[in-house]
Amino acid sequence: MHVVVNAAMSADGKLSSRRREQIAISGDEDFARVDQLRADSDAIVVGVGTVLADDPHLTVKDESLIAERREAGEADHPARVVVDSKARTPIDAAILDDAATTYVCVSEVAPIDNRMDLAGRAELVTAGDDRVDLLRAFATLQQQGLERIMVEGGGELIFSLFEAGLVDELRVFVGPKVIGGRDAPTLADGEGFAAEFPTLELTNLERLGDGALLTWRTAGG
């Protein structure tokens, strides 16, 4: 399995404002790059916070990319995965439509009623006691043939993936905006590392408009 974390952040490292409202950080060039990355993936992963804040669809937009997937014998869109320890994903969330298979990863503390509701719209993966055990959940996804994984956020999930040693590659578009705010989400939130910080090797730097795309490989990537 190869896990790529992809994100767009402001020049000061924020994913969105302190109100958790979606902000257009990148432009058309980066949108096209992200769409290509989606088309090249077996699954797109987000945390439940992203679902609740943005209600993303997580599908490939470009019809030519969809046609290429069909020619390769693949579904039009990659599978979608929500990491949702307490099964809070709304039943009417866009990510649960029939455009592609959706997996919802929950823990044992998720209410049974919520799990039953979601089971009618998605494939449930139960891993972990009070929070999703990402190592177990990703192992289950790999058993389903999902090898090329794209992670689109948010910050809590990204930190947890680095903490679990699951990230192989980090691609970040840094846009020409300053958002500010001590409570605005950053690329990697969560508890943060106090020691043994993950180290990255810069493999590519590319200018896109007035922003820059940085690609890093992790030590084990």
Side-chain angles (χ1 to χ4, degrees):
M1 176 180 281
H2 187 79
V3 178
V4 178
V5 171
N6 182 78
M9 69 181 186
S10 62
D12 58 329
K14 306 298 185 181
L15 298 184
S16 65
S17 72
R18 58 186 171 81
R19 296 177 180 173
R20 308 274 166 163
E21 296 170 341
Q22 195 171 30
I23 293 175
I25 294 174
S26 56
D28 291 343
E29 285 181 276
D30 193 55
F31 291 150
R33 177 191 66 83
V34 172
D35 207 31
Q36 180 69 65
L37 184 55
R38 286 181 177 179
D40 291 339
S41 301
D42 296 323
I44 304 169
V45 183
V46 294
V48 67
T50 297
V51 173
L52 295 174
D54 301 334
D55 193 24
H57 199 203
L58 301 184
T59 53
V60 178
K61 309 303 181 190
D62 190 317
E63 290 294 334
S64 66
L65 295 177
I66 293 173
E68 288 176 10
R69 287 181 60 89
R70 288 176 184 166
E71 290 174 6
E74 299 178 333
D76 287 4
H77 308 284
R80 301 164 298 186
V81 180
V82 184
V83 177
D84 182 5
S85 295
K86 297 181 180 178
R88 295 186 294 146
T89 300
I91 294 302
D92 61 351
I95 203 170
L96 295 179
D97 69 6
D98 59 2
T101 301
T102 300
Y103 296 84
V104 179
C105 302
V106 302
S107 71
E108 296 289 353
V109 301
I112 294 297
D113 288 348
N114 290 20
R115 283 194 250 178
M116 290 179 63
D117 288 342
L118 288 172
R121 304 291 302 276
E123 301 289 333
L124 287 191
V125 175
T126 304
D129 296 327
D130 57 354
R131 60 180 296 186
V132 172
D133 181 325
L134 290 170
L135 286 170
R136 285 172 53 193
F138 274 51
T140 299
L141 296 174
Q142 188 172 26
Q143 290 169 5
Q144 299 300 312
L146 306 179
E147 294 285 349
R148 302 167 298 171
I149 307 297
M150 175 186 183
V151 179
E152 292 204 28
E156 296 277 346
L157 174 60
I158 291 173
F159 170 78
S160 296
L161 288 168
F162 272 108
E163 187 178 39
L166 284 167
V167 179
D168 296 297
E169 195 175 340
L170 174 64
R171 302 182 189 183
V172 180
F173 175 80
V174 182
K177 279 186 172 66
V178 174
I179 295 174
R182 65 177 63 88
D183 296 323
T186 64
L187 180 70
D189 285 334
E191 295 180 4
F193 296 102
E196 298 182 5
F197 307 101
T199 57
L200 306 171
E201 175 190 352
L202 185 66
T203 59
N204 192 54
L205 173 60
E206 178 183 357
R207 178 168 182 165
L208 292 178
D210 287 325
L213 174 65
L214 294 90
T215 302
W216 287 279
R217 182 171 53 214
T218 62

